[in-house]
Amino acid sequence: MPTGHATGGTGPARSRERFLQGEPVEAGVRTSILSSWQRSRSLGLSPDQADLPFRDDFDRDARIVRAAVPVLDRLQARFAGSKMNISVADASGTVLLRRFGEASLARSLPAFQRVPGFVFAERVAGTNGIGLALAERQLIRVHGAEHFAERSQRSACRALPVRDPLSGRIEGVLCFGYPRSTEDPGLAITIRKAAQAIERRLLGQSSARERALLRAYLDTGAAASVGLHHTMGVDELALGLHPHDRALLTEKAAELISHGQRAAAVVSLFDGRRVTLVSRPMRSGSGVEGVAIEAVLPGPAPREPLAVPTPVDVPPGFSGRLAVATAVRPPRFVPATAAPGRLSVAALSRHLPDIAYGPFGFGRGGMADDHPDAPPRTRGLVMVGEPRVGTYALAARRRLELLSEASARIGTTLDVRRTAQELAETAVPRLADFVTIDLPEAVLRGEESADPRTDLHRTVVHGIRDDLPFSPVGKQVDFGPTTPQIRCLTSGQAVLEPDLKAAAGWLAQDPEHTERLLTQVHSLIAVPLVARGVILGIASFYRARDPAPFGDDDRSLGLELANRAALSIDNARRYTRERTMVLTLQRSLLPHDLPDQDAVEIAHRYLPAESDVGGDWYDVIPLSGTRIGLFVGDVVGHGMLSAATMGQLRTAARSFAELDFPPDEVLTHLDNLVGRLDREEPAAGAGVIGATCLYVIYDPTSQQCAMARAGHPPPALVLPDGTVSFPDLPAGPPLGLGGLPFETVEIHLPEGSRLLLYTDGLIEDRHRDVDVVLDQLRGALAHPEHTPEQTCQTVLETVAPAHPCDDIALLVARTHALDSHRVAVWDLPADPARVGEVRAAALRQLADWGLDEAAFAAELMLSELVTNAIRHGAGPIRVRLLHGRTLICEVSDASNTAPHLRRAASTDEGGRGLFLVAQLAQSWGTRYLPEGKVIWAECGLDGA
């Protein structure tokens, strides 16, 4: 970024001028600065306002002050003679300490730059170092004209939040201020080291408080009542104690400390023994309040009354009641050591060497005063700590449990919407009370959004109640530039708004809408959903019931949950994209429009699997002689390879069928093709082998049906009376094995019969018995009054699995018979003299049918075909005319010799017969019979 100066019209100065004038700002302005400018303007701040709020009631002896004073003294010595202005502010932005590298600065600077007590929070001071560090919660740098206020244009600063190492909360801000002309990149390292030194001193203060609690415990005489020769510490247990037991005792002790009251808990150890943990509230001489946890070995309950803790406030982001259980199950996460801030006896002993700690003994028996002969009960100190620190430790453990649960709950499917819903269900109520998730429409389709900020749609709304006025699912949401949601998208970081009533950008988005929400929610974390560099959307976490606002730990937890969910959402998005591509390819390779024909009435369905797309296919192919060919096939496997192989098989099957091969020969050719594909694609391995196919040819003139299958389920046959059967059709090997024969079976189908061809996805499922499914199929088909469309729908609704793991292809055909009055047949010997008779008979038949206009072409074609059969074929010869959608002329003979179309030269006396037939007919060809062949020609009736 070009830094520029406050004057001169370049760099941030020019950008700031354009921003204040309402003009678009060039991309040179950093995102954090631009967001802060927008928030400042939405708060109604003026760049030329001079006064800052001043507080004289700030705590001059706060923890952050005690920890920072020595560090600031050293910094002052280091920057002696420079114009460095060093300050420490509290978490609200109030400056508590000031130090100057040059003493004269304290007299020459304005009061707000030299006197503690002025408030530099962004909401009152605009863009500045302290306020922006608190808003961004990270190291920031503000230079010259990047400041919002005019009074700070000649300054530069670096500011860094200082956190409590135990709680993770921001205790204050360390800020270096200096003239903008003296920028030094090394200041980033210096300020980080100084902040770490302050944080170490904060930790040291906590340790001192814990040591004070231990001294108070000893001073009360508790140690004497226990007996030092019987005392113990969790870190100095006997060797016989299982590591799991040590962690469990430590964890339970921390939970008791977090209660902050007298209580007891019985902990079951690994070997079945039980230890009672007793909490003893106490107060040190310096006023530190805490709790000591003592362990008591098995025996009668202590005489002093112990109360089971009542429900207490739990860490922000977690709900539920904390109760002391009499039986403790192993935790999901077992910490190796005590949590930070809770001092075990072994740790405290390093600070108090005058105290001796004996071994941990597991004696059997009760208290000496409970029974005269009973051995003394072993009892000793386990841990001391402050309830607040114990609460943080307990919250940390529960956050780990939540993250562990998130790993198991989020991403169980490859569905984008379901994955987003799982994120919301995991976060409510343990992190937030309400969660909204907004994703671009492109992401829901499996694509990447060009501009997610303008394409967000409400995808999930989930919470403890359903009556909050969030935008409904499916509605497009438009966030303003100053809202936390857009800021998190722009910066790529989670944005925390602890108090929504003070979040100007959020309030300005939709005043009426947000006003209603503010009666229920009060704190917000907006987290971007980003995975592999792709922006997927926004997750917004709202808090309602817990009066405490979200903190940095909650923001970190929300970001971690969102990151895990974003990866799962991106996986689902990529899968959706790939599945859409494969499904598009699959559907493009299936027939779109079935051909017009009179042989059968057709209905079909294709249902892809939920998890992936396979290689199921079907086809309907008109054949010569008004016959129809029906295909159903399945390529074993899923994905792009199966879909592509399916396309090859369907194309080849159509080509072989149009050559008028019988079913067994078509399957033989397909078998050879699959074997060749497998040899040519060694990388595909066995993915091609295993294709199955069923081929059926129905002839409406004879109502005969010929079928053969290659490892495919047999068809279902429904007779006109409703009888359902599965023809006994030889299974045949799957395509690609090679060398094994296929068999064709012919059956007679009465008019009105229905054939159901299907793939194995309809009947085969690992959760269902095939015989039961076939019975269901029989019941679904036993309705002779159903049309093919109704049959398809009934089968899918009653037989198909609810969540198919394999593709399903259905093809239902109801047969028709060609009226015998539309068929004319003549048998004649191989005598050329009979050709004229056949022509005359054909002309009379065409006249009876009202096809006089087709008579000329039909006469020429019949004359040529019959003459060729007599000259080049063998008798007997049969002539057949079929009047359907077209006029079909067929001439059959006993010879297997096929005619060959020639291009006769102008000097040739013959060779033009088939050429004339090809010119007069729409199509013509040869169909082979078991004995002989049929030459056919089809003539259109458009002009008839």
Side-chain angles (χ1 to χ4, degrees):
M1 185 198 71
T3 56
H5 298 283
T7 58
T10 60
R14 175 58 180 159
S15 299
R16 180 174 173 274
E17 292 174 5
R18 292 172 59 86
F19 173 80
L20 293 177
Q21 293 171 5
E23 300 178 13
V25 178
E26 58 267 23
V29 180
R30 289 180 292 159
T31 301
S32 59
I33 299 297
L34 181 57
S35 298
S36 181
W37 286 354
Q38 293 170 338
R39 292 195 298 270
S40 300
R41 183 169 59 183
S42 65
L43 288 165
L45 300 179
S46 174
D48 56 358
Q49 67 184 58
D51 296 332
L52 287 177
F54 178 78
R55 295 177 50 196
D56 56 3
D57 59 344
F58 64 89
D59 188 359
R60 289 172 170 78
D61 192 36
R63 293 182 64 224
I64 185 69
V65 172
R66 297 197 304 272
V69 165
V71 178
L72 262 64
D73 290 342
R74 291 197 297 271
L75 289 173
Q76 184 176 25
R78 174 172 180 174
F79 292 110
S82 69
K83 295 187 179 296
M84 181 66 70
N85 181 347
I86 308 167
S87 59
V88 170
D90 62 15
S92 66
T94 303
V95 174
L96 306 179
L97 293 172
R98 289 284 192 184
R99 293 289 190 276
F100 304 96
E102 186 176 306
S104 61
L105 285 176
R107 297 186 296 272
S108 62
L109 291 175
F112 73 89
Q113 288 185 310
R114 57 183 172 83
V115 179
F118 283 94
V119 180
F120 283 81
E122 186 185 67
R123 67 179 183 276
V124 295
T127 308
N128 69 92
I130 294 175
L132 190 54
L134 289 174
E136 297 289 331
R137 310 178 92 80
Q138 61 183 336
L139 175 64
I140 60 93
R141 166 180 166 272
V142 183
H143 187 280
E146 291 180 335
H147 289 88
F148 187 76
E150 299 287 353
R151 60 176 175 268
S152 303
Q153 299 295 291
R154 297 184 179 182
S155 302
C157 64
R158 290 181 184 266
L160 178 65
V162 177
R163 301 175 183 270
D164 185 333
L166 296 181
S167 67
R169 294 192 311 177
I170 293 178
E171 291 287 330
V173 177
L174 175 62
C175 182
F176 290 176
Y178 46 89
R180 67 171 184 267
S181 59
T182 59
E183 176 66 45
D184 183 0
L187 289 177
I189 299 175
T190 303
I191 197 171
R192 286 187 185 278
K193 290 183 176 179
Q196 291 171 1
I198 297 175
E199 290 173 350
R200 285 195 299 270
R201 291 184 57 81
L202 287 173
L203 180 61
Q205 290 181 19
S206 298
S207 299
R209 295 168 68 90
E210 302 288 353
R211 291 198 297 272
L213 285 175
L214 179 59
R215 290 193 181 93
Y217 173 79
L218 298 175
D219 293 342
T220 59
S225 66
V226 171
L228 287 180
H229 61 286
H230 288 302
T231 59
M232 63 173 182
V234 170
D235 291 338
E236 293 192 4
L237 301 179
L239 295 177
L241 191 61
H242 194 276
H244 169 268
D245 294 335
R246 298 179 60 188
L248 191 57
L249 286 170
T250 302
E251 183 178 307
K252 193 49 139 180
E255 184 175 340
L256 288 174
I257 288 176
S258 69
H259 290 25
Q261 59 183 335
R262 183 180 297 276
V266 178
V267 182
S268 297
L269 301 182
F270 186 79
D271 57 4
R273 291 176 292 177
R274 292 151 63 94
V275 173
T276 301
L277 295 181
V278 180
S279 61
R280 182 192 295 271
M282 53 199 305
R283 183 184 181 91
S284 70
S286 60
V288 179
E289 295 183 353
V291 177
I293 305 299
E294 298 172 343
V296 183
L297 286 183
R303 291 182 173 179
E304 54 185 331
L306 296 175
V308 175
T310 57
V312 296
D313 290 338
V314 294
F318 296 89
S319 62
R321 295 175 176 268
L322 297 176
V324 177
T326 57
V328 180
R329 292 184 297 176
R332 185 170 298 169
F333 279 89
V334 180
T337 60
R342 299 171 305 171
L343 294 187
S344 64
V345 171
L348 290 169
S349 65
R350 292 192 291 270
H351 302 287
L352 301 173
D354 54 323
I355 300 178
Y357 298 93
F360 182 87
F362 283 93
R364 297 181 181 272
M367 294 288 292
D369 51 359
D370 289 328
H371 191 281
D373 299 327
R377 179 170 58 175
T378 304
R379 174 172 176 168
L381 180 65
V382 175
M383 187 182 297
V384 295
E386 296 179 75
R388 178 177 60 88
V389 178
T391 300
Y392 292 140
L394 187 62
R397 176 170 63 85
R398 295 190 175 183
R399 285 185 170 91
L400 288 176
E401 292 177 352
L402 180 58
L403 290 176
S404 175
E405 181 180 342
S407 300
R409 292 187 61 180
I410 300 176
T412 59
T413 67
L414 287 172
D415 182 82
V416 174
R417 287 182 173 85
R418 180 57 196 161
T419 303
Q421 182 69 30
E422 289 169 346
L423 168 60
E425 292 173 352
T426 302
V428 175
R430 299 174 65 180
L431 171 63
D433 296 315
F434 299 94
V435 175
T436 63
I437 299 177
D438 306 308
L439 303 178
E441 186 68 26
V443 171
L444 297 174
R445 296 193 305 267
E447 305 168 4
E448 295 184 14
S449 177
D451 187 2
R453 294 173 295 183
T454 60
D455 186 32
L456 289 171
H457 288 73
R458 182 59 46 86
T459 306
V460 173
V461 177
H462 183 68
I464 56 177
R465 300 197 314 274
D466 298 330
D467 58 347
L468 262 65
F470 290 107
S471 298
V473 172
K475 182 180 179 181
Q476 183 170 356
V477 289
D478 297 318
F479 294 109
T482 62
T483 56
Q485 285 83 358
I486 294 299
R487 284 157 47 202
C488 82
L489 275 187
T490 305
S491 64
Q493 300 294 324
V495 174
L496 169 62
E497 290 289 359
D499 184 5
L500 285 177
K501 293 182 179 179
W506 186 78
L507 293 171
Q509 171 69 18
D510 186 352
E512 180 181 357
H513 183 74
T514 53
E515 183 177 354
R516 294 172 59 196
L517 277 177
L518 281 178
T519 62
Q520 302 290 336
V521 299
H522 60 81
S523 191
L524 165 68
I525 300 174
V527 186
L529 297 172
V530 182
R532 303 183 180 98
V534 178
I535 298 177
L536 304 173
I538 304 170
S540 302
F541 303 93
Y542 294 89
R543 175 164 289 174
R545 295 180 304 174
D546 193 334
F550 282 126
D552 283 326
D553 286 343
D554 300 308
R555 183 179 66 164
S556 299
L557 179 59
L559 183 60
E560 179 66 23
L561 288 176
N563 287 340
R564 298 189 183 198
L567 191 60
S568 297
I569 291 175
D570 190 51
N571 290 338
R573 179 191 67 82
R574 290 167 177 257
Y575 167 77
T576 301
R577 180 187 61 190
E578 296 298 328
R579 186 174 186 271
T580 301
M581 292 173 56
V582 176
L583 188 58
T584 301
L585 173 63
Q586 170 86 334
R587 293 192 182 279
S588 69
L589 297 174
L590 292 173
H592 297 284
D593 297 315
L594 297 183
D596 294 331
Q597 42 79 37
D598 295 323
V600 291
E601 181 183 349
I602 293 291
H604 56 89
R605 295 288 190 278
Y606 172 72
L607 184 65
E610 281 194 347
S611 58
D612 207 347
V613 177
D616 292 16
W617 58 283
Y618 60 89
D619 207 349
V620 178
I621 305 170
L623 302 176
S624 63
T626 70
R627 297 173 307 143
I628 196 74
L630 307 176
F631 273 107
V632 167
D634 182 8
V635 177
V636 176
H638 296 86
M640 189 73 73
L641 177 61
S642 296
T645 304
M646 177 273 289
Q648 292 177 291
L649 285 182
R650 177 176 172 255
T651 301
R654 172 174 283 271
S655 300
F656 295 142
E658 289 178 345
L659 291 174
D660 272 326
F661 292 140
D664 56 334
E665 291 189 29
V666 169
L667 296 182
T668 300
H669 287 295
L670 290 177
D671 181 58
N672 295 333
L673 172 65
V674 172
R676 184 166 62 253
L677 290 175
D678 191 45
R679 291 190 297 272
E680 294 173 356
E681 300 286 346
V688 174
I689 296 178
T692 65
C693 184
L694 170 64
Y695 182 36
V696 176
I697 297 178
Y698 173 68
D699 187 346
T701 62
S702 62
Q703 300 178 41
Q704 288 295 112
C705 181
M707 59 184 73
R709 61 179 177 137
H712 200 85
L717 172 61
V718 186
L719 296 179
D721 61 0
T723 303
V724 181
S725 64
F726 297 90
D728 186 12
L729 184 62
L735 300 177
L737 296 183
L740 298 176
F742 301 97
E743 298 183 41
T744 297
V745 173
E746 289 195 8
I747 59 176
H748 180 75
L749 296 183
E751 185 175 9
S753 300
R754 283 175 295 160
L755 274 174
L756 174 69
L757 285 67
Y758 55 90
T759 55
D760 56 3
L762 177 67
I763 61 174
E764 294 182 6
D765 186 90
R766 61 178 179 270
H767 303 297
R768 303 190 300 170
D769 184 82
V770 174
D771 293 333
V772 174
V773 177
L774 290 177
D775 289 339
Q776 294 175 347
L777 182 58
R778 285 190 179 92
L781 295 176
H783 297 280
E785 73 281 2
H786 281 183
T787 65
E789 284 290 338
Q790 293 173 330
T791 301
C792 279
Q793 192 63 31
T794 302
V795 169
L796 288 181
E797 291 176 353
T798 61
V799 182
H803 304 282
C805 57
D806 194 7
D807 291 19
I808 298 175
L810 287 181
L811 192 63
V812 178
R814 182 161 62 184
T815 63
H816 297 295
L818 186 62
D819 190 347
S820 60
H821 295 92
R822 288 176 170 265
V823 180
V825 180
W826 299 275
D827 292 319
L828 64 154
D831 183 359
R834 303 294 297 273
V835 176
E837 298 178 8
V838 172
R839 287 203 307 265
L843 289 175
R844 289 192 299 269
Q845 183 64 60
L846 292 177
D848 293 341
W849 287 342
L851 302 179
D852 295 328
E853 294 188 17
F856 176 75
E859 181 182 10
L860 287 179
M861 289 188 296
L862 274 178
S863 178
E864 184 61 35
L865 294 178
V866 172
T867 301
N868 280 345
I870 294 174
R871 289 182 178 180
H872 307 291
I877 297 173
R878 168 170 289 192
V879 177
R880 188 169 72 159
L881 290 182
L882 302 175
H883 178 199
R885 290 175 179 266
T886 59
L887 176 65
I888 300 174
C889 305
E890 294 183 348
V891 177
S892 61
D893 65 83
S895 171
N896 289 325
T897 303
H900 177 63
L901 179 65
R902 292 175 52 191
R903 303 289 180 178
S906 58
T907 57
D908 292 339
E909 296 183 359
R912 296 177 177 85
L914 284 181
F915 179 77
L916 289 175
V917 171
Q919 296 298 313
L920 293 172
Q922 287 184 347
S923 59
W924 72 280
T926 304
R927 180 171 74 250
Y928 290 94
L929 303 175
E931 294 181 0
K933 66 180 182 298
V934 175
I935 309 298
W936 58 271
E938 186 173 341
C939 180
L941 301 179
D942 294 339

